[in-house]
Amino acid sequence: MIWYVIKLIVLLPLIGALAWGSLKLAQKAQARLGVTGGPAKRFRIIETTMLSPGLKLAVIQFGDREILVSASRQGLTRLGEAPARELGE
């Protein structure tokens, strides 16, 4: 029994260190190769507001449009649409 505990104390931190090191090595390799976090996103969430525990409003920028949607447990509903504002406005 004591041999099992000693192995556990030694190997568990070693496995954790190997996992952490492999993640850091992968991040450095991606940065060196110029790999981004994924494909360019076509939309961006501008703002969200929680109206109730099951209902949220969100403004989504998609291309040159801003779309107001409500998100509930049943799904998304488009409420309105307008041209996108500039960042300074």
Side-chain angles (χ1 to χ4, degrees):
M1 176 68 179
I2 192 78
W3 177 245
Y4 175 76
V5 173
I6 292 171
K7 286 192 322 187
L8 185 65
I9 290 172
V10 170
L11 291 178
L12 194 58
L14 182 63
I15 292 171
L18 286 172
W20 180 81
S22 65
L23 288 174
K24 289 298 178 182
L25 185 63
Q27 286 177 347
K28 285 184 180 181
Q30 285 179 347
R32 189 175 303 128
L33 294 174
V35 178
T36 60
K41 293 184 180 179
R42 298 180 59 189
F43 71 94
R44 186 169 59 109
I45 297 175
I46 305 293
E47 186 176 344
T48 61
T49 301
M50 183 74 75
L51 296 178
S52 67
L55 186 62
K56 185 186 291 190
L57 283 179
V59 177
I60 300 171
Q61 183 178 11
F62 184 77
D64 62 345
R65 309 292 293 170
E66 284 186 357
I67 305 166
L68 176 66
V69 297
S70 70
S72 66
R73 291 184 178 110
Q74 287 77 31
L76 294 174
T77 304
R78 187 179 75 181
L79 301 175
E81 189 172 331
R85 297 174 287 159
E86 296 298 322
L87 292 177
E89 294 181 27

